[in-house]
Amino acid sequence: MARNVLVVGEFSEGEPSTTTHELLGAASRLSDGGAVGVTLLGSGASGAAAATFPAGAGKAFTNDDAEYDVFRSDQWLIAVLAAVEQSSPDVILIAQSTAGRELAPRLAFRLDTAAAMDCTMVQDEGGALQVTRPAYGGNALATYSFASSPAVATVRAKSQDPIAPNAGATGESVALPGVGESRTTVIGREKVEAEGLQIQDAAVVVSGGRGLGSPEGFELVEALAAAIGKDKAAVGASRAACDLGWYPPSQQVGLTGKVVTPDLYIAVAISGASQHMAGCSGSKTIIAINKDSEANIFKSARFGIVGDYKQVLPPLIEAIKAAK
Amino acid sequence: MHLVVCAKQIPDPETPPSAFKIDPAKNEVIPAPGIALVLSQFDGIAAEAALRIKEAAGDTKITVISMGAESAQQAIKQVLAMGADEGVLLQDPAFDKGDPHTTAKVLTAAIKKLGDVDAVFCGRQAADWDWGVAGILIAEGLGWPVSIIAKGVTLEDGKVRVQRVIEDGYETVDLPLPAVVTVSNEFGEPRYPKLQQIMQAARKTVTTWKAADLGLDPGEVGAAGARLKLERLYVPEKEGKAEIMQGDTPAEQAQQLVAKLQAAKIL
Ligand SMILES: Cc1cc2nc3c(=O)[nH]c(=O)nc-3n(C[C@H](O)[C@H](O)[C@H](O)COP(=O)(O)OP(=O)(O)OC[C@H]3O[C@@H](n4cnc5c(N)ncnc54)[C@H](O)[C@@H]3O)c2cc1C
């Protein structure tokens, strides 16, 4: 069944985000001959539009106003509603991002419909849209259909494949009208992310948990990441470790932290709670180092070492260095 | 001032995955034996945020509201023991099996009925279904501004100042009152009530409101009003077991692991 799909895009420095590419991929598959539109808000939007056409968009709704560079949901909401007005979507796909988490429910409310959050599957089921999302911290998956239209869904990063780029594809750009009022005022921003390679981008993520016993435990975890390579490996943490103040919350992996999908994920002294696994189960290979052979993490890991990390990590660091 | 805290009672979210079971015929979680019903963690933190504002501002009433079964009285009492003043339980069979939108509709109607509310505090998400939308939908229903996933909340000259967790750090945002804020674990731990406070809370009255008390039509809430239809609830399949390195010493195990990773072309 042909559907019109609208994607709320995000971009930086003129490039649509990876997730926007993924959403456009999902939108193309769902559209089945219907129109795929994308909204792009902020300085450089009309430039970024060109890059969304090979990724699956047919029409880009843009506004280059720098007011949009900082997300304020009141303003974004008005702009996206204008694009909805012009494109009559059956489905609206939004990233499960800082912006998307707040925008999607508000949009659903205004359109007198419903929003399904953090979906990992969006698919056609006999002509009707169905979405699947993790619930109970990832212990369960829940599949929903919509009894109202349009269907609004936020989609988890890295859960959808982009389409193979359709080189040379062109589309239409439509300028959205001016910027609306915002009741909220953004006073300032503080960056607290680790320097260098980010965990979402790293080929290898080494994470430490509460079982490290102290913040000093992260020194060994960092040494392991450094042995693998500063350009390859980044350090993450479980929420328990972050809540204890042992590692910055920006490095938290999991349901309420970041979703990572590296080639290799090494979980050190992490029990493998479903909420943690929600952030790393998409990794190609998981290695667990844990002193408890019954720990849940060993159910998801391909390789494991049962032992005290203080004894295991130093020889592991040496063995990795020697193997290079 | 009058602050509202929304609180939900849920099965302990740290239930070991092995104890987590679903009844596929009913699309429902089977309550695991010995797993306690608890106050959703983030709601306890939202209560903490409201209490700190009360302490700083003085002359403030905190009302805790919960939609749920009779047992949700416990969640309400817990927030009362922390220091909230009044509790309201929103309980009606008509509220059952709804979606987040119908839940928000009920909570919004209750806040409207309370009348003179200045700010609403919710957890960033309920730690069972993990939707993360109730606070936002309440704000929409009331026509108030909202800020979500707060790690800090203060009140200054009729404005709420929120430190909102974003992907690469945090952002400071001002909202005019009345407003809704959802609070995250980065805020810090909720206080632990003292025995005397628990005893006092036991004596505080909890009012119960039904759909009719809120002027809600049973057809617009619960299963009848839901727009998201749960088709299937299931436990995802987990791949088997890890291959455990069998060496006698940590050094041997480490060497084995590196050899395996090299053989699999992972390192
Ligand atoms: C709604 C919700 C959202 C959540 N979101 C997240 C999230 O995003 N990310 C997240 O991580 N968690 C999240 N959690 C928390 C999650 O449920 C767990 O509590 C948390 O992941 C546990 O962290 P941990 O594995 O480090 O600690 P623990 O569960 O305490 O595990 C520590 C492990 O270390 C092992 N250990 C101890 N000492 C040693 C040693 N010397 N050597 C080797 N191993 C040792 C132990 O055997 C144990 O397995 C969330 C919870 C809820 C309810």
Side-chain angles (χ1 to χ4, degrees):
Chain A
M1 198 189 70
R3 294 188 180 85
N4 294 338
V5 187
L6 182 67
V7 169
V8 175
E10 294 182 39
F11 62 93
S12 76
E13 287 156 26
E15 280 302 314
S17 68
T18 317
T19 316
T20 300
H21 279 276
E22 293 160 6
L23 294 180
L24 286 168
S28 301
R29 289 183 288 275
L30 285 175
S31 67
D32 193 17
V36 175
V38 60
T39 64
L40 296 162
L41 302 170
S43 13
S46 35
T52 61
F53 302 137
K59 211 179 236 185
F61 299 92
T62 64
N63 189 322
D64 284 75
D65 200 307
E67 272 282 299
Y68 291 115
D69 293 357
V70 171
F71 170 74
R72 297 174 195 86
S73 67
D74 281 351
Q75 292 174 332
W76 276 53
L77 181 62
I78 295 165
V80 174
L81 283 169
V84 169
E85 183 86 1
Q86 293 184 47
S87 60
S88 318
D90 303 293
V91 181
I92 303 174
L93 298 181
I94 307 177
Q96 174 78 359
S97 59
T98 292
R101 286 172 201 270
E102 190 171 319
L103 185 67
R106 296 194 62 191
L107 196 60
F109 187 93
R110 299 292 169 109
L111 296 170
D112 197 18
T113 179
M117 306 300 286
D118 203 14
C119 302
T120 51
M121 285 183 254
V122 289
Q123 62 209 34
D124 185 285
E125 200 56 56
L129 178 77
Q130 284 198 352
V131 298
T132 299
R133 61 183 298 276
Y136 287 89
N139 277 326
L141 288 174
T143 302
Y144 293 89
S145 61
F146 287 79
S148 59
S149 177
V152 179
T154 64
V155 178
R156 185 177 287 192
K158 298 181 178 143
S159 66
Q160 311 296 313
D161 292 321
I163 59 167
N166 195 351
T170 54
E172 189 190 341
S173 275
V174 182
L176 289 172
V179 189
E181 290 290 315
S182 173
R183 291 169 294 182
T184 59
T185 319
V186 177
I187 307 292
R189 272 185 163 216
E190 194 105 8
K191 234 182 139 109
V192 283
E193 207 165 47
E195 294 292 316
L197 189 61
Q198 301 303 316
I199 51 173
Q200 307 96 289
D201 306 325
V204 181
V205 175
V206 189
S207 288
R210 176 154 46 199
L212 293 177
S214 71
E216 288 74 39
F218 272 98
E219 287 166 17
L220 270 177
V221 175
E222 284 175 347
L224 175 56
I228 294 167
K230 279 218 159 25
D231 52 339
K232 262 178 91 178
V235 176
S238 73
R239 187 174 112 189
C242 294
D243 281 355
L244 285 161
W246 296 353
Y247 223 60
S250 61
Q251 304 311 103
Q252 181 184 316
V253 171
L255 182 68
T256 46
K258 296 205 163 106
V259 177
V260 300
T261 50
D263 295 333
L264 179 61
Y265 187 81
I266 308 179
V268 183
I270 289 177
S271 62
S274 59
Q275 295 93 348
H276 183 80
M277 299 318 292
C280 64
S281 58
S283 309
K284 278 212 190 82
T285 301
I286 296 176
I287 295 177
I289 298 165
N290 196 302
K291 69 172 187 192
D292 173 11
S293 64
E294 297 296 313
N296 192 56
I297 187 79
F298 288 118
K299 295 210 176 80
S300 310
R302 177 159 165 210
F303 302 117
I305 294 182
V306 177
D308 184 341
Y309 81 94
K310 284 187 194 137
Q311 259 122 53
V312 174
L313 290 202
L316 183 59
I317 291 165
E318 289 318 310
I320 286 172
K321 282 186 183 156
K324 276 195 165 168
Chain B
M1 253 190 330
H2 188 181
L3 309 179
V4 165
V5 174
C6 299
K8 184 176 185 187
Q9 188 185 44
I10 60 166
D12 189 342
E14 309 228 0
T15 304
S18 54
F20 184 85
K21 303 240 156 40
I22 282 168
D23 178 344
K26 288 195 189 146
N27 273 346
E28 267 176 19
V29 175
I30 302 171
I35 299 296
L37 291 169
V38 298
L39 171 67
S40 181
Q41 297 173 325
F42 302 114
D43 299 348
I45 302 170
E48 178 64 37
L51 285 162
R52 288 196 206 165
I53 286 177
K54 174 176 170 151
E55 284 156 1
D59 192 24
T60 296
K61 178 167 90 176
I62 298 178
T63 303
V64 49
I65 63 175
S66 180
M67 190 191 99
E70 193 58 32
S71 63
Q73 294 259 9
Q74 285 168 34
I76 292 175
K77 296 268 170 169
Q78 186 171 338
V79 179
L80 290 173
M82 285 174 71
D85 303 284
E86 288 174 14
V88 181
L89 175 66
L90 310 168
Q91 196 210 347
D92 194 315
F95 298 156
D96 291 352
K97 298 222 160 216
D99 66 12
H101 294 262
T102 58
T103 303
K105 195 176 268 181
V106 174
L107 294 167
T108 304
I111 295 162
K112 282 187 177 156
K113 188 176 162 90
L114 288 170
D116 56 350
V117 176
D118 297 286
V120 176
F121 294 86
C122 300
R124 61 173 286 170
Q125 65 201 60
D128 52 356
W129 286 96
D130 300 318
W131 279 104
V133 302
I136 302 167
L137 291 172
I138 290 168
E140 280 292 300
L142 296 167
W144 296 358
V146 61
S147 192
I148 63 171
I149 317 191
K151 76 176 199 96
V153 192
T154 49
L155 217 84
E156 284 156 51
D157 342 307
K159 276 185 301 196
V160 202
R161 177 157 291 185
V162 172
Q163 287 178 317
R164 162 177 213 245
V165 179
I166 56 175
E167 271 108 0
D168 59 356
Y170 66 90
E171 196 170 74
T172 306
V173 185
D174 277 353
L175 295 87
L177 286 174
V180 181
V181 178
T182 82
V183 185
S184 188
N185 50 293
E186 287 87 347
F187 187 89
E189 293 283 320
R191 67 193 62 192
Y192 199 78
K194 298 192 187 71
L195 186 62
Q196 192 197 359
Q197 291 177 300
I198 296 171
M199 282 155 63
Q200 279 167 354
R203 289 195 299 269
K204 290 185 191 168
T205 49
V206 176
T207 315
T208 300
W209 287 341
K210 304 202 161 293
D213 299 317
L214 299 171
L216 290 169
D217 183 291
E220 58 177 331
V221 291
R227 275 101 178 257
L228 287 164
K229 303 287 176 197
L230 182 61
E231 301 285 346
R232 186 171 169 229
L233 186 67
Y234 59 104
V235 176
E237 299 204 2
K238 286 262 160 59
E239 322 99 77
K241 271 191 96 61
E243 181 182 342
I244 304 292
M245 303 303 114
Q246 294 298 346
D248 289 333
T249 63
E252 273 179 44
Q253 294 165 350
Q255 253 145 20
Q256 265 177 20
L257 179 61
V258 171
K260 295 263 181 207
L261 293 177
Q262 283 181 313
K265 303 218 177 339
I266 295 168
L267 264 188

